[in-house]
Amino acid sequence: MSDQAKEILARTDAFRPLNEDERAAIADLSVIHEFSNGDRLFKDGEPAKYMWVISEGTIDLRFELPGRKTSEENTISTLSDNQIIGWSSLIPPYQYKLSAYCVSKKCLAMKINAEQLLDYLRQNPGLGYRVLAAMIRVVGKRFQQLQISAGQAPIAGAKVTVHMGTCGITAGARAVMTALTEEMARTTRQNIQVLTGGCIGRCPTEPNVTVAIEGEDPVVYQFMDAEKMRRVFKKHVIWGEVQAEFTSRREQS
Amino acid sequence: MISLDFLDNVEAFNGLDDNQLAVIVEAAELMEFKKGDRLFTQGDDATNLWILMDGDIELRSETADPEQVSFLSSAHAFGWTCFVPPYKYQLSGYCASRRSRVIRIEKTKMDKLFPEHPEIGFALMQYTLHAVGTQFQELEDELAQHRGHDIMSHW
């Protein structure tokens, strides 16, 4: 098996405790694949035969909706270099729960035959213990991160302030407010307040919008328009994901 | 007394032979609780793995509203978060019957016996990966349902 596969394993947390020979044995159960943007590595509901290690690129784990193409909106987690996906292949009922899509220009991922891997670990229980313990640490941390992001988003209250001073209105704040009002009409969430505010002294970056999620520092979005407002509403207000590309540098530092 | 026959029925020790189960007996401690006694508290460092022998144990969230309670059955292992970051109990454990007998195994003792008896470590890690993985998948399912609903309502 290629040195490349062993190198990929050496960089991956779950396989880092292995020595050179052990990595070589697991590399023998593996195949490296290259994917382009939009390619699907596996689909939710399929038998989970392989565990995957991402060597290069970014992969979204997404849920599918019948009759619709997936998009960024369907993403539950985004993972990149040296992370493992498809660990459903190691636990009953051995079925992928989400689909995996390459979302960078190119993705390089190594798939490991899960049944053979489990057999090998069972035959070498010392190694099996170390690999599974390391994998539990990886999965546990990711679970914790997902719990935090899920907990923040649907429960925490939010205040969205569109700054509608003269400078803001001149720059297009009314269109931003209209988009926000339309999004509010569609959501079932009760704990979101929409407010209008005055100028905050940042006239050159108007229209400005401040999103304040309960328990977090407020984020000021700048150069807003209707489309950006809809995205900020869906991503940040509803799911707690700050849209950094629309924020001012001051809030990022 | 903890019998090998009882441990043989514990899913977390699936596949272990009598010699390996005897090692676990050596490391384990049988404890008795009465109704209302608390075994551990949500948020505390998870330092033990527990196995219910007889009686009733309820796992309760101290923070969820409405209150969430689950009851365990005999031979059920709980407290497996002692192997999972951030190594805290996610729920509190209470004795819910007049009397319950529970096996307690300190994590520090298990950590010491795993290198010498890797089969035990492997069996427990497989059980723990299954347990945390299943909870992880349930959360993913829940998130997918919420987001799916949100997407469809915006469509």
Side-chain angles (χ1 to χ4, degrees):
Chain A
M1 175 46 63
S2 71
D3 287 342
Q4 192 184 9
K6 285 191 280 182
E7 278 170 28
I8 294 170
L9 290 171
R11 293 197 307 261
T12 308
D13 280 344
F15 296 104
R16 200 165 287 148
L18 276 57
N19 64 36
E20 189 76 10
D21 291 342
E22 292 165 341
R23 277 190 209 119
I26 293 179
D28 278 341
L29 313 175
S30 313
V31 181
I32 297 169
H33 288 273
E34 191 175 319
F35 298 93
S36 304
N37 187 287
D39 286 350
R40 186 167 64 196
L41 283 71
F42 54 80
K43 186 175 182 296
D44 68 3
E46 280 178 356
K49 293 181 181 170
Y50 304 101
M51 196 179 73
W52 296 76
V53 179
I54 307 169
S55 170
E56 203 183 307
T58 305
I59 287 172
D60 270 3
L61 294 178
R62 295 177 176 173
F63 60 91
E64 306 278 353
L65 286 172
R68 289 172 65 100
K69 278 189 175 177
T70 67
S71 71
E72 199 187 326
E73 283 187 316
N74 301 47
T75 301
I76 298 291
S77 301
T78 299
L79 299 156
S80 56
D81 299 4
N82 310 322
Q83 293 188 292
I84 53 171
I85 56 173
W87 46 261
S88 301
S89 57
L90 301 180
I91 63 170
Y94 309 105
Q95 195 175 48
Y96 294 121
K97 291 288 180 180
L98 296 168
S99 301
Y101 288 89
C102 172
V103 294
S104 49
K105 194 173 175 188
K106 181 184 128 180
C107 295
L108 208 59
M110 187 170 81
K111 70 177 185 186
I112 306 170
N113 184 306
E115 196 179 346
Q116 291 176 354
L117 175 66
L118 274 177
D119 280 345
Y120 180 69
L121 297 180
R122 202 171 288 117
Q123 285 159 20
N124 300 276
L127 169 68
Y129 161 67
R130 284 182 285 130
V131 168
L132 290 190
M135 208 165 285
I136 286 167
R137 286 194 288 275
V138 172
V139 173
K141 280 180 191 163
R142 289 216 327 236
F143 181 40
Q144 200 188 353
Q145 286 163 357
L146 194 64
Q147 279 178 312
I148 291 168
S149 64
Q152 277 174 352
I155 296 164
K159 278 184 192 171
V160 187
T161 306
V162 181
H163 298 285
M164 298 187 73
T166 310
C167 48
I169 291 171
T170 308
R174 283 194 198 285
V176 173
M177 179 54 105
T178 302
L180 177 58
T181 310
E182 286 170 3
E183 291 302 316
M184 279 296 289
R186 289 188 180 120
T187 185
T188 53
R189 284 269 304 274
Q190 300 293 315
N191 57 351
I192 302 168
Q193 267 183 287
V194 171
L195 305 167
T196 56
C199 173
I200 52 170
R202 300 186 193 177
C203 306
T205 67
E206 291 283 6
N208 294 311
V209 172
T210 304
V211 174
I213 304 286
E214 208 176 330
E216 292 175 29
D217 290 336
V219 176
V220 178
Y221 289 98
Q222 58 185 18
F223 302 114
M224 292 296 278
D225 57 25
E227 193 184 330
K228 288 179 184 173
M229 186 67 250
R230 289 183 200 284
R231 181 163 150 193
V232 166
F233 186 86
K234 287 174 191 167
K235 290 285 183 177
H236 187 182
V237 179
I238 300 292
W239 289 107
E241 296 165 9
V242 175
Q243 300 301 292
E245 62 194 279
F246 304 153
T247 64
S248 59
R249 287 181 186 277
R250 198 178 303 178
E251 273 65 45
Q252 296 304 297
S253 59
Chain B
M1 180 182 167
I2 304 166
S3 73
L4 297 188
D5 282 342
F6 175 77
L7 287 187
D8 204 24
N9 288 319
V10 175
E11 192 192 337
F13 303 137
N14 196 16
L16 298 183
D17 64 26
D18 281 0
N19 290 332
Q20 289 151 356
L21 294 177
V23 171
I24 293 170
V25 171
E26 284 296 307
E29 185 184 358
L30 186 58
M31 302 182 76
E32 199 167 314
F33 295 93
K34 51 185 192 303
K35 192 164 187 170
D37 283 351
R38 188 165 59 195
L39 285 70
F40 50 82
T41 305
Q42 181 181 1
D44 281 357
D45 289 340
T47 50
N48 301 298
L49 182 73
W50 304 79
I51 297 145
L52 177 60
M53 201 166 194
D54 51 40
D56 293 315
I57 295 293
E58 66 176 36
L59 297 180
R60 189 192 304 164
S61 168
E62 308 282 358
T63 52
D65 184 24
E67 194 178 65
Q68 290 172 359
V69 177
S70 55
F71 291 89
L72 304 179
S73 52
S74 178
H76 194 109
F78 54 106
W80 46 261
T81 49
C82 65
F83 298 117
V84 185
Y87 310 105
K88 304 274 184 194
Y89 291 117
Q90 291 181 326
L91 299 165
S92 297
Y94 290 90
C95 175
S97 52
R98 185 174 293 175
R99 191 191 73 133
S100 294
R101 287 192 302 163
V102 183
I103 297 167
R104 185 177 80 171
I105 314 174
E106 289 176 26
K107 181 176 183 288
T108 49
K109 284 188 182 171
M110 288 186 280
D111 285 341
K112 282 178 192 162
L113 63 87
F114 288 157
E116 202 180 335
H117 304 280
E119 295 85 359
I120 300 174
F122 181 69
L124 270 172
M125 292 307 108
Q126 250 197 320
Y127 177 79
T128 304
L129 183 62
H130 187 186
V132 68
T134 301
Q135 284 200 359
F136 195 154
Q137 288 175 339
E138 284 170 0
L139 178 62
E140 285 179 332
D141 277 349
E142 197 182 317
L143 278 173
Q145 276 178 21
H146 276 287
R147 291 196 185 193
H149 179 267
D150 211 45
I151 290 170
M152 297 308 278
S153 65
H154 277 74
W155 194 33

CSV table of all heavy atoms in Angstrom, one decimal, chain B residues 62-101:
chain,number,residue,atom,x,y,z
B,62,GLU,N,-31.2,17.5,35.4
B,62,GLU,CA,-31.5,18.5,36.4
B,62,GLU,C,-31.9,19.9,35.7
B,62,GLU,O,-32.3,20.8,36.4
B,62,GLU,CB,-30.3,18.8,37.4
B,62,GLU,CG,-29.8,17.5,38.0
B,62,GLU,CD,-30.6,17.0,39.1
B,62,GLU,OE1,-31.6,17.6,39.5
B,62,GLU,OE2,-30.3,15.9,39.7
B,63,THR,N,-31.6,20.0,34.4
B,63,THR,CA,-31.8,21.2,33.8
B,63,THR,C,-32.9,21.3,32.7
B,63,THR,O,-33.4,22.3,32.4
B,63,THR,CB,-30.5,21.7,33.1
B,63,THR,OG1,-30.1,20.6,32.2
B,63,THR,CG2,-29.4,21.9,34.1
B,64,ALA,N,-33.3,20.1,32.2
B,64,ALA,CA,-34.3,20.1,31.2
B,64,ALA,C,-35.7,20.5,31.7
B,64,ALA,O,-36.1,20.2,32.8
B,64,ALA,CB,-34.4,18.7,30.5
B,65,ASP,N,-36.4,21.2,30.9
B,65,ASP,CA,-37.7,21.6,31.2
B,65,ASP,C,-38.6,21.3,30.0
B,65,ASP,O,-38.4,21.9,28.9
B,65,ASP,CB,-37.8,23.1,31.6
B,65,ASP,CG,-39.1,23.5,32.0
B,65,ASP,OD1,-39.9,22.7,32.5
B,65,ASP,OD2,-39.4,24.7,31.9
B,66,PRO,N,-39.6,20.4,30.0
B,66,PRO,CA,-40.0,19.6,31.1
B,66,PRO,C,-38.9,18.6,31.5
B,66,PRO,O,-38.1,18.2,30.7
B,66,PRO,CB,-41.3,18.9,30.7
B,66,PRO,CG,-41.1,18.8,29.2
B,66,PRO,CD,-40.3,20.0,28.8
B,67,GLU,N,-39.1,18.1,32.7
B,67,GLU,CA,-38.1,17.2,33.3
B,67,GLU,C,-38.0,15.9,32.4
B,67,GLU,O,-39.0,15.4,32.0
B,67,GLU,CB,-38.5,16.8,34.7
B,67,GLU,CG,-37.4,16.1,35.5
B,67,GLU,CD,-37.9,15.8,36.9
B,67,GLU,OE1,-38.8,15.0,37.1
B,67,GLU,OE2,-37.4,16.4,37.8
B,68,GLN,N,-36.8,15.4,32.2
B,68,GLN,CA,-36.6,14.2,31.4
B,68,GLN,C,-36.1,13.1,32.3
B,68,GLN,O,-35.0,13.3,33.0
B,68,GLN,CB,-35.6,14.5,30.3
B,68,GLN,CG,-36.2,15.4,29.2
B,68,GLN,CD,-35.1,15.8,28.2
B,68,GLN,OE1,-34.0,15.4,28.3
B,68,GLN,NE2,-35.5,16.6,27.2
B,69,VAL,N,-36.8,12.0,32.3
B,69,VAL,CA,-36.4,10.9,33.2
B,69,VAL,C,-36.3,9.6,32.3
B,69,VAL,O,-37.2,9.4,31.5
B,69,VAL,CB,-37.4,10.7,34.3
B,69,VAL,CG1,-37.0,9.5,35.2
B,69,VAL,CG2,-37.4,12.0,35.2
B,70,SER,N,-35.3,8.8,32.5
B,70,SER,CA,-35.3,7.5,31.9
B,70,SER,C,-35.0,6.4,33.0
B,70,SER,O,-34.2,6.7,33.9
B,70,SER,CB,-34.4,7.4,30.7
B,70,SER,OG,-33.1,7.8,31.2
B,71,PHE,N,-35.6,5.3,32.9
B,71,PHE,CA,-35.4,4.2,33.9
B,71,PHE,C,-34.6,3.1,33.2
B,71,PHE,O,-34.7,2.8,32.0
B,71,PHE,CB,-36.7,3.6,34.3
B,71,PHE,CG,-37.5,4.6,35.2
B,71,PHE,CD1,-38.4,5.5,34.6
B,71,PHE,CD2,-37.4,4.6,36.6
B,71,PHE,CE1,-39.1,6.4,35.3
B,71,PHE,CE2,-38.1,5.5,37.3
B,71,PHE,CZ,-39.0,6.4,36.7
B,72,LEU,N,-33.7,2.5,34.0
B,72,LEU,CA,-32.8,1.5,33.5
B,72,LEU,C,-33.2,0.1,33.9
B,72,LEU,O,-33.9,0.0,34.9
B,72,LEU,CB,-31.4,1.8,34.1
B,72,LEU,CG,-30.8,3.1,33.8
B,72,LEU,CD1,-29.4,3.2,34.4
B,72,LEU,CD2,-30.7,3.4,32.3
B,73,SER,N,-32.8,-0.9,33.1
B,73,SER,CA,-33.2,-2.2,33.5
B,73,SER,C,-31.9,-3.0,34.0
B,73,SER,O,-30.8,-2.5,33.8
B,73,SER,CB,-33.7,-3.0,32.3
B,73,SER,OG,-32.9,-2.8,31.2
B,74,SER,N,-32.1,-4.1,34.6
B,74,SER,CA,-31.0,-4.9,35.1
B,74,SER,C,-29.9,-5.2,34.0
B,74,SER,O,-30.3,-5.4,32.9
B,74,SER,CB,-31.5,-6.2,35.7
B,74,SER,OG,-30.5,-6.9,36.2
B,75,ALA,N,-28.7,-5.2,34.4
B,75,ALA,CA,-27.5,-5.5,33.6
B,75,ALA,C,-27.2,-4.3,32.6
B,75,ALA,O,-26.4,-4.5,31.7
B,75,ALA,CB,-27.7,-6.8,32.8
B,76,HIS,N,-27.9,-3.2,32.8
B,76,HIS,CA,-27.6,-2.0,31.9
B,76,HIS,C,-26.4,-1.3,32.5
B,76,HIS,O,-26.3,-1.0,33.7
B,76,HIS,CB,-28.8,-1.1,32.0
B,76,HIS,CG,-28.8,-0.1,30.9
B,76,HIS,ND1,-29.7,-0.1,29.8
B,76,HIS,CD2,-28.1,1.0,30.8
B,76,HIS,CE1,-29.4,0.9,29.1
B,76,HIS,NE2,-28.5,1.6,29.6
B,77,ALA,N,-25.4,-1.0,31.6
B,77,ALA,CA,-24.3,-0.2,32.1
B,77,ALA,C,-24.5,1.3,31.8
B,77,ALA,O,-25.1,1.6,30.8
B,77,ALA,CB,-23.0,-0.7,31.3
B,78,PHE,N,-24.2,2.1,32.8
B,78,PHE,CA,-24.4,3.6,32.6
B,78,PHE,C,-23.2,4.3,33.2
B,78,PHE,O,-22.4,3.7,33.9
B,78,PHE,CB,-25.7,4.0,33.2
B,78,PHE,CG,-26.0,3.6,34.6
B,78,PHE,CD1,-25.9,4.6,35.6
B,78,PHE,CD2,-26.3,2.3,34.9
B,78,PHE,CE1,-26.1,4.2,36.9
B,78,PHE,CE2,-26.5,2.0,36.3
B,78,PHE,CZ,-26.4,2.9,37.3
B,79,GLY,N,-23.1,5.6,32.8
B,79,GLY,CA,-21.9,6.3,33.3
B,79,GLY,C,-20.7,6.1,32.3
B,79,GLY,O,-19.6,6.4,32.6
B,80,TRP,N,-21.0,5.7,31.0
B,80,TRP,CA,-20.0,5.4,30.1
B,80,TRP,C,-19.3,6.7,29.6
B,80,TRP,O,-18.3,6.7,28.9
B,80,TRP,CB,-20.5,4.6,28.8
B,80,TRP,CG,-21.8,5.1,28.3
B,80,TRP,CD1,-23.0,4.6,28.5
B,80,TRP,CD2,-22.0,6.2,27.4
B,80,TRP,NE1,-24.0,5.3,27.8
B,80,TRP,CE2,-23.4,6.3,27.2
B,80,TRP,CE3,-21.2,7.2,26.8
B,80,TRP,CZ2,-24.0,7.3,26.3
B,80,TRP,CZ3,-21.8,8.2,26.0
B,80,TRP,CH2,-23.1,8.2,25.8
B,81,THR,N,-19.9,7.9,30.0
B,81,THR,CA,-19.3,9.2,29.7
B,81,THR,C,-17.9,9.3,30.4
B,81,THR,O,-17.2,10.2,30.1
B,81,THR,CB,-20.2,10.4,30.0
B,81,THR,OG1,-20.6,10.2,31.3
B,81,THR,CG2,-21.3,10.5,29.1
B,82,CYS,N,-17.6,8.4,31.3
B,82,CYS,CA,-16.2,8.4,31.9
B,82,CYS,C,-15.2,8.1,30.8
B,82,CYS,O,-14.0,8.4,31.0
B,82,CYS,CB,-16.1,7.4,33.1
B,82,CYS,SG,-16.3,5.7,32.6
B,83,PHE,N,-15.6,7.6,29.7
B,83,PHE,CA,-14.6,7.4,28.6
B,83,PHE,C,-14.7,8.4,27.5
B,83,PHE,O,-14.0,8.3,26.5
B,83,PHE,CB,-14.9,6.0,27.9
B,83,PHE,CG,-14.7,4.8,28.9
B,83,PHE,CD1,-15.8,4.0,29.2
B,83,PHE,CD2,-13.5,4.5,29.4
B,83,PHE,CE1,-15.7,2.9,30.0
B,83,PHE,CE2,-13.4,3.5,30.3
B,83,PHE,CZ,-14.4,2.7,30.6
B,84,VAL,N,-15.6,9.4,27.6
B,84,VAL,CA,-15.9,10.3,26.5
B,84,VAL,C,-15.7,11.7,26.9
B,84,VAL,O,-16.3,12.1,27.9
B,84,VAL,CB,-17.4,10.1,26.0
B,84,VAL,CG1,-17.7,10.9,24.8
B,84,VAL,CG2,-17.7,8.6,25.7
B,85,PRO,N,-14.9,12.5,26.1
B,85,PRO,CA,-14.8,13.9,26.5
B,85,PRO,C,-16.2,14.6,26.5
B,85,PRO,O,-17.0,14.2,25.7
B,85,PRO,CB,-14.0,14.5,25.3
B,85,PRO,CG,-13.4,13.3,24.6
B,85,PRO,CD,-14.2,12.2,24.9
B,86,PRO,N,-16.4,15.5,27.5
B,86,PRO,CA,-15.5,16.1,28.5
B,86,PRO,C,-15.5,15.3,29.8
B,86,PRO,O,-15.2,15.9,30.8
B,86,PRO,CB,-16.2,17.5,28.7
B,86,PRO,CG,-17.6,17.2,28.5
B,86,PRO,CD,-17.8,16.1,27.5
B,87,TYR,N,-15.8,14.0,29.8
B,87,TYR,CA,-15.7,13.1,30.9
B,87,TYR,C,-16.6,13.6,32.1
B,87,TYR,O,-16.1,13.7,33.3
B,87,TYR,CB,-14.3,12.9,31.4
B,87,TYR,CG,-13.4,12.6,30.2
B,87,TYR,CD1,-12.5,13.5,29.7
B,87,TYR,CD2,-13.4,11.3,29.6
B,87,TYR,CE1,-11.7,13.2,28.6
B,87,TYR,CE2,-12.6,11.0,28.6
B,87,TYR,CZ,-11.7,11.9,28.0
B,87,TYR,OH,-10.9,11.6,27.0
B,88,LYS,N,-17.8,14.0,31.8
B,88,LYS,CA,-18.7,14.5,32.8
B,88,LYS,C,-20.0,13.6,32.7
B,88,LYS,O,-20.4,13.2,31.7
B,88,LYS,CB,-19.2,16.0,32.6
B,88,LYS,CG,-18.0,16.9,32.5
B,88,LYS,CD,-17.6,17.4,33.8
B,88,LYS,CE,-16.5,18.5,33.7
B,88,LYS,NZ,-15.9,18.8,35.0
B,89,TYR,N,-20.7,13.5,33.9
B,89,TYR,CA,-22.0,12.8,33.8
B,89,TYR,C,-23.0,13.8,33.1
B,89,TYR,O,-23.1,15.0,33.5
B,89,TYR,CB,-22.5,12.5,35.2
B,89,TYR,CG,-21.7,11.4,35.9
B,89,TYR,CD1,-21.0,11.6,37.1
B,89,TYR,CD2,-21.7,10.1,35.4
B,89,TYR,CE1,-20.3,10.6,37.7
B,89,TYR,CE2,-21.0,9.1,36.0
B,89,TYR,CZ,-20.3,9.3,37.1
B,89,TYR,OH,-19.6,8.3,37.7
B,90,GLN,N,-23.7,13.3,32.1
B,90,GLN,CA,-24.7,14.1,31.4
B,90,GLN,C,-26.0,14.2,32.2
B,90,GLN,O,-26.8,15.1,31.9
B,90,GLN,CB,-24.9,13.5,30.0
B,90,GLN,CG,-23.7,13.6,29.1
B,90,GLN,CD,-24.0,13.1,27.7
B,90,GLN,OE1,-24.7,12.1,27.6
B,90,GLN,NE2,-23.4,13.7,26.7
B,91,LEU,N,-26.3,13.2,33.0
B,91,LEU,CA,-27.5,13.2,33.8
B,91,LEU,C,-27.2,12.8,35.2
B,91,LEU,O,-26.1,12.3,35.5
B,91,LEU,CB,-28.5,12.1,33.2
B,91,LEU,CG,-28.9,12.3,31.8
B,91,LEU,CD1,-29.5,11.0,31.2
B,91,LEU,CD2,-29.9,13.5,31.6
B,92,SER,N,-28.1,13.0,36.1
B,92,SER,CA,-28.0,12.6,37.5
B,92,SER,C,-28.6,11.2,37.6
B,92,SER,O,-29.6,10.9,37.0
B,92,SER,CB,-28.7,13.5,38.5
B,92,SER,OG,-28.1,14.8,38.4
B,93,GLY,N,-28.0,10.3,38.5
B,93,GLY,CA,-28.6,9.0,38.7
B,93,GLY,C,-29.1,8.9,40.1
B,93,GLY,O,-28.5,9.2,41.1
B,94,TYR,N,-30.4,8.4,40.2
B,94,TYR,CA,-31.0,8.2,41.5
B,94,TYR,C,-31.6,6.8,41.7
B,94,TYR,O,-32.0,6.2,40.7
B,94,TYR,CB,-32.2,9.2,41.6
B,94,TYR,CG,-31.9,10.7,41.7
B,94,TYR,CD1,-31.7,11.4,40.6
B,94,TYR,CD2,-31.7,11.3,43.0
B,94,TYR,CE1,-31.4,12.8,40.7
B,94,TYR,CE2,-31.3,12.6,43.1
B,94,TYR,CZ,-31.2,13.4,41.9
B,94,TYR,OH,-30.9,14.7,42.0
B,95,CYS,N,-31.6,6.4,42.9
B,95,CYS,CA,-32.2,5.1,43.2
B,95,CYS,C,-33.7,5.3,43.2
B,95,CYS,O,-34.2,6.2,44.0
B,95,CYS,CB,-31.7,4.5,44.5
B,95,CYS,SG,-32.6,3.0,45.0
B,96,ALA,N,-34.5,4.6,42.5
B,96,ALA,CA,-35.9,4.8,42.3
B,96,ALA,C,-36.8,3.7,42.9
B,96,ALA,O,-38.0,3.7,42.8
B,96,ALA,CB,-36.3,5.0,40.9
B,97,SER,N,-36.2,2.7,43.6
B,97,SER,CA,-36.9,1.6,44.2
B,97,SER,C,-36.5,1.6,45.7
B,97,SER,O,-35.6,2.3,46.1
B,97,SER,CB,-36.6,0.3,43.5
B,97,SER,OG,-35.2,0.1,43.4
B,98,ARG,N,-37.2,0.8,46.4
B,98,ARG,CA,-36.9,0.7,47.9
B,98,ARG,C,-35.4,0.4,48.1
B,98,ARG,O,-34.8,0.9,49.0
B,98,ARG,CB,-37.8,-0.4,48.5
B,98,ARG,CG,-37.6,-0.4,50.0
B,98,ARG,CD,-38.6,-1.4,50.6
B,98,ARG,NE,-40.0,-0.9,50.5
B,98,ARG,CZ,-41.1,-1.5,50.9
B,98,ARG,NH1,-40.9,-2.8,51.3
B,98,ARG,NH2,-42.3,-1.0,50.7
B,99,ARG,N,-34.9,-0.4,47.2
B,99,ARG,CA,-33.5,-0.8,47.4
B,99,ARG,C,-33.0,-1.1,46.0
B,99,ARG,O,-33.7,-1.7,45.1
B,99,ARG,CB,-33.4,-2.1,48.2
B,99,ARG,CG,-32.1,-2.5,48.7
B,99,ARG,CD,-32.1,-3.8,49.3
B,99,ARG,NE,-32.3,-4.8,48.3
B,99,ARG,CZ,-31.6,-6.0,48.2
B,99,ARG,NH1,-30.7,-6.3,49.1
B,99,ARG,NH2,-31.8,-6.8,47.2
B,100,SER,N,-31.8,-0.7,45.7
B,100,SER,CA,-31.1,-1.1,44.4
B,100,SER,C,-29.7,-1.5,44.7
B,100,SER,O,-29.0,-0.9,45.5
B,100,SER,CB,-31.1,0.1,43.5
B,100,SER,OG,-32.4,0.5,43.1
B,101,ARG,N,-29.3,-2.6,44.0
B,101,ARG,CA,-27.9,-3.0,44.1
B,101,ARG,C,-27.2,-2.6,42.7
B,101,ARG,O,-27.7,-3.0,41.7
B,101,ARG,CB,-27.7,-4.5,44.4
B,101,ARG,CG,-28.1,-4.7,45.8
B,101,ARG,CD,-27.8,-6.1,46.2
B,101,ARG,NE,-28.4,-7.1,45.4
B,101,ARG,CZ,-28.0,-8.4,45.3
B,101,ARG,NH1,-26.9,-8.8,46.0
B,101,ARG,NH2,-28.6,-9.3,44.5
